[in-house]
Amino acid sequence: MRNTPKKAIRKGLKQLILYGIIGSAAASIDFALFHILILCSDIYYIVANCISVLTGILLSFSLNRSITFKVTDKIHFRLGLFFTCGMLGLALSNTILWIGIEYSHFNETVTKITSIFIVALFQFLFNKLITFKSST
């Protein structure tokens, strides 16, 4: 069956919605874990952010691979790309936190929420166009 533009658009929108739902779940876990770590321990906020973001990356890869993009091939390669995207996102997130907290003296919560939205947009585009690009 031929993939018409209308079907492609519908598929893309469905993927975007699923990616958003999964991303929201992963971001919520990232956000909650980040705050648990900085509020309940003496962990430096950059270390807490690394731990929380890595947790979100692993959850997001597993769910997006199986639910959103439904790819089963090249799992290790795709995980490598996803992880690379995640690390770029982590670097971007840490930079936003560092600038927001250290230089602009913004609240940690506001800065973290801002970083999540910026990083999520970057990561969706990277993962849609590169990581989970169909092999066919």
Side-chain angles (χ1 to χ4, degrees):
M1 179 182 278
R2 214 172 106 203
N3 197 8
T4 65
K6 195 173 189 178
K7 286 183 183 180
I9 290 170
R10 246 186 272 143
K11 180 180 179 183
L13 286 174
K14 181 180 176 185
Q15 287 177 336
L16 179 60
I17 290 166
L18 287 170
Y19 191 89
I21 291 167
I22 290 168
S24 294
S28 295
I29 290 169
D30 171 3
F31 183 77
L33 184 55
F34 173 78
H35 275 81
I36 290 167
L37 291 171
I38 64 169
L39 295 175
C40 298
S41 68
D42 289 331
I43 293 178
Y44 185 57
Y45 67 88
I46 295 293
V47 175
N49 192 54
C50 291
I51 293 167
S52 67
V53 168
L54 288 171
T55 301
I57 289 169
L58 292 174
L59 175 65
S60 186
F61 174 77
S62 298
L63 296 176
N64 277 305
R65 183 181 70 84
S66 62
I67 296 171
T68 306
F69 300 104
K70 298 179 182 178
V71 292
T72 57
D73 66 333
K74 303 177 185 176
I75 294 171
H76 293 100
F77 177 73
R78 292 181 192 280
L79 177 59
L81 286 173
F82 197 87
F83 187 77
T84 298
C85 178
M87 291 300 93
L88 291 172
L90 176 59
L92 179 58
S93 177
N94 282 341
T95 301
I96 293 166
L97 285 172
W98 186 63
I99 291 169
I101 294 168
E102 297 296 328
Y103 287 101
S104 300
H105 306 288
F106 290 140
N107 176 277
E108 292 169 344
T109 302
V110 171
T111 306
K112 179 63 177 176
I113 290 171
T114 303
S115 77
I116 287 170
F117 282 107
I118 294 168
V119 171
L121 177 61
F122 161 77
Q123 289 178 326
F124 172 75
L125 293 172
F126 184 99
N127 286 316
K128 170 77 174 152
L129 300 173
I130 299 170
T131 304
F132 295 112
K133 183 178 179 183
S134 177
S135 297
T136 56

